[in-house]
Amino acid sequence: MSETAKTENVADWLRDAYAMEQQAETMLKSQSARLENYPKLKARIDQHIEETRGQQELLKGCLDRLGVSPSTVKDLGAKLMAMGQGVSGMFVSDEVVKGAMAGYVFEHLEIVSYTSLIAAAKAVGDTETQRVCEQILPQEEAMAKWLIEHIDEITTAFLERAANPDTQAKR
Ligand code: MG
Ligand code: FE
C-alpha cells in the first residue's frame, strides 16, 4: 500500500472515531437525562460526557491538521445505530441495568478503535494522532473499568428497588 493510501486510511479511521464520539455523547446524555435513582452512575456518566467532549475536540484537531473534513455522523452513525438503540432507545423495565451493560460494550468498541488507530498512526509516523489517541484511550478504559466494577451494585440496587412497590427501579 502506498504511503498516501495509508494516510487516507488513518484519516478515515479518525473520521470514524469522531463520529463514534458524537454517538457516544448522544447515548450518554440520553442515559444521564433519564436516570433518577442512581446518582453514582449518573455522576460517572456526566464525567464521561465531559471527557467525551474533550475527545471530540482532540480528534477534530487531528482532522483539521490533516485537512480532513469530519464525516457526518451518518456514516458510522448508521453502523452504530443498532448499538445506539441499545442505549438511547431503551425504555425497558430494567433500563438501568441494560444501559450499564450497553455502555460497557460501547466503551470496548472505543478501546479497540483507539488501539487500532494508535497502531495505524505509528505505522504512518503520525505522532500527533498517536499522542491524541494514547491520551483518549485511558479514559475509555477507566469508564469500562468503572462499569464492570459497579455492575453488581447497580444490579443489586435495581433488584431491591424493583421488589419494593413504592420505588421506581428502572431508572
Ligand atoms: Mg470516547
Ligand atoms: Fe467512552
Side-chain angles (χ1 to χ4, degrees), residues 21 24 28 48 51-52 55 103 106-108 110-111 114 136 139-141 143-144:
E21 295 304 347
L28 291 165
H48 202 52
E51 291 168 346
T52 299
Q55 294 168 2
F106 195 89
E107 293 309 322
H108 281 82
E110 295 185 296
I111 288 168
Y114 289 113
I136 294 173
Q139 297 178 333
E140 315 299 18
E141 290 171 334
M143 185 62 185

Side-chain angles (χ1 to χ4, degrees), residues 77-104:
K79 295 178 206 163
L80 293 175
M81 194 61 95
M83 296 189 71
Q85 280 167 346
V87 180
S88 54
M90 187 172 306
F91 306 133
V92 291
S93 63
D94 59 346
E95 70 175 74
V96 63
V97 177
K98 289 289 195 299
M101 289 170 65
Y104 184 74

Side-chain angles (χ1 to χ4, degrees), residues 109-156:
L109 171 69
E110 295 185 296
I111 288 168
V112 76
S113 297
Y114 289 113
T115 303
S116 170
L117 247 175
I118 288 165
K122 272 186 195 167
V124 299
D126 183 346
T127 53
E128 179 59 13
T129 295
Q130 183 188 338
R131 187 193 66 75
V132 159
C133 294
E134 285 172 347
Q135 187 181 334
I136 294 173
L137 180 58
Q139 297 178 333
E140 315 299 18
E141 290 171 334
M143 185 62 185
K145 186 164 183 280
W146 192 96
L147 288 168
I148 196 75
E149 285 177 355
H150 289 82
I151 192 65
D152 54 351
E153 188 182 321
I154 292 164
T155 304
T156 312

